[in-house]
Amino acid sequence: IKICNAIHSMDKTDRTKINIFRETVSFIRMMDSEGIDNIFSFDAVSRYINGLVKLYKKGVKGKTLSSRQNAIKALIKELDIALYERCESIFIAFPNDHEATKPYTDAELKKIASALNTIFNNYAKHIELGTTPTTFPLYDEKNVDGSYKFISNGSAIRQTTYRNSSNVWKNDLVRAAYFITCLHTGINSSPLLGLKISDINEEPFQNSSRGTYILKTTKGRQSGKTNEIETAFTKKGKIFFDRWLNISKKLNSNTDGYIFPNLSKNEPSKMSSTNASSLNKYINDFGIPSFRSQRFRKTKASLIMRVT
């Protein structure tokens, strides 16, 4: 009760409080595993910090460990200021070795766009025609000369038959559509994955200057005010998204649902960014860079700067 009250009374955001609570659980479990009863003591804190140092030597990022240490520091400061002052000398200044997100190179972008469009176009046709695919599209795609366009190293074979569950390929279709939208817009994952069919008007696009089309959506409310999301598409992007909206409605059985649904037993729910990224396991098998919404966003910004 004392710990929970201390965290609750902190002048911090709810997200930060949750992180402090989670790290406190890890801290207490560590003390339990080492048989330490007095968990808020100099010896306990010292052991905890030594544990973080061992993790750093194993390759865990310093920025991650700093965040974990800061969570415990905040709690100790709230519970026992004398203990906090005594422990100040043993707290570690971990290096901030977090790598900044880099945009995709032109060569990487070419590979990514080709793979995403291959997956999307193949599966989209099956939804539109009411048929079922038999293989993961990248295995069969060929160049004009008959050679295979994508070469697999065979380390992570994607399910090549869909007899057991149609959700497998349908979810891959949703994931491809999501990342293509990230590629076209650079929008953040949270508002994009949170969009529902009802958030978009029947005529969603507004013409803009210089060949761009603005998709204006309404999502949620903030203090009674409508939260509007605006993002721009090229003509090619608009054609893709119009097609995807029609497919998404079919996946949602023409009822209101998430534009990028996660299908389980053919029941749609919200797709998470972690679930969407699970496609990377099979993409990397073909020597294609991982799909990451942050990198798409960075790439979009980089391309705009280059054009400017």
Side-chain angles (χ1 to χ4, degrees), residues 73-104:
K73 284 172 70 175
L75 180 63
I76 295 173
K77 194 172 185 179
E78 196 75 25
L79 288 174
D80 189 342
I81 190 64
L83 175 61
Y84 175 81
E85 291 174 350
R86 189 182 172 201
C87 291
E88 276 192 296
S89 61
I90 61 172
F91 289 127
I92 301 293
F94 290 101
N96 187 2
D97 48 12
H98 177 71
E99 292 183 9
T101 301
K102 296 179 180 179
Y104 292 109

Side-chain angles (χ1 to χ4, degrees), residues 127-143:
I127 293 291
E128 291 163 342
L129 298 174
T131 54
T132 302
T134 56
T135 60
F136 189 55
L138 298 190
Y139 290 122
D140 289 343
E141 188 73 5
K142 292 183 179 180
N143 296 307

Side-chain angles (χ1 to χ4, degrees), residues 129-172:
L129 298 174
T131 54
T132 302
T134 56
T135 60
F136 189 55
L138 298 190
Y139 290 122
D140 289 343
E141 188 73 5
K142 292 183 179 180
N143 296 307
V144 178
D145 62 3
S147 61
Y148 284 98
K149 194 170 186 178
F150 304 98
I151 306 299
S152 167
N153 64 28
S155 63
I157 301 298
R158 188 56 165 146
Q159 184 176 339
T160 55
T161 177
Y162 300 99
R163 296 173 194 162
N164 297 332
S165 173
S166 62
N167 293 324
V168 175
W169 67 270
K170 288 179 180 177
N171 279 328
D172 279 351

Side-chain angles (χ1 to χ4, degrees), residues 20-221:
I20 291 172
F21 174 79
R22 287 176 174 167
E23 187 56 32
T24 301
V25 171
S26 297
F27 174 73
I28 293 173
R29 283 177 176 163
M30 180 181 176
M31 296 305 108
D32 282 346
S33 67
E34 298 197 13
I36 297 176
D37 294 326
N38 186 9
I39 58 174
F40 292 105
S41 64
F42 182 85
D43 180 53
V45 176
S46 179
R47 291 196 186 198
Y48 165 78
I49 293 173
N50 286 336
L52 296 184
V53 171
K54 289 178 182 178
L55 290 175
Y56 181 74
K57 290 179 179 178
K58 289 181 179 179
V60 177
K61 294 292 183 183
K63 186 173 183 179
T64 301
L65 297 173
S66 289
S67 297
R68 292 184 60 183
Q69 180 179 248
N70 288 339
I72 297 302
K73 284 172 70 175
L75 180 63
I76 295 173
K77 194 172 185 179
E78 196 75 25
L79 288 174
D80 189 342
I81 190 64
L83 175 61
Y84 175 81
E85 291 174 350
R86 189 182 172 201
C87 291
E88 276 192 296
S89 61
I90 61 172
F91 289 127
I92 301 293
F94 290 101
N96 187 2
D97 48 12
H98 177 71
E99 292 183 9
T101 301
K102 296 179 180 179
Y104 292 109
T105 64
D106 290 349
E108 288 177 326
L109 213 52
K110 187 176 180 180
K111 279 186 178 181
I112 287 168
S114 179
L116 283 172
N117 284 309
T118 297
I119 296 170
F120 177 79
N121 289 326
N122 183 293
Y123 287 154
K125 282 183 181 178
H126 287 290
I127 293 291
E128 291 163 342
L129 298 174
T131 54
T132 302
T134 56
T135 60
F136 189 55
L138 298 190
Y139 290 122
D140 289 343
E141 188 73 5
K142 292 183 179 180
N143 296 307
V144 178
D145 62 3
S147 61
Y148 284 98
K149 194 170 186 178
F150 304 98
I151 306 299
S152 167
N153 64 28
S155 63
I157 301 298
R158 188 56 165 146
Q159 184 176 339
T160 55
T161 177
Y162 300 99
R163 296 173 194 162
N164 297 332
S165 173
S166 62
N167 293 324
V168 175
W169 67 270
K170 288 179 180 177
N171 279 328
D172 279 351
L173 168 62
V174 176
R175 293 168 183 134
Y178 162 67
F179 284 118
I180 290 174
T181 307
C182 291
L183 173 64
H184 279 295
T185 65
I187 192 172
N188 282 331
S189 60
S190 295
L192 188 58
L193 291 173
L195 278 179
K196 286 192 168 186
I197 293 171
S198 59
D199 297 327
I200 297 181
N201 299 328
E202 290 186 15
E203 296 294 333
F205 287 99
Q206 301 173 6
N207 289 344
S208 182
S209 61
R210 299 182 182 178
T212 60
Y213 297 83
I214 302 298
L215 175 69
K216 194 171 184 179
T217 67
T218 302
K219 183 63 192 168
R221 291 184 175 273

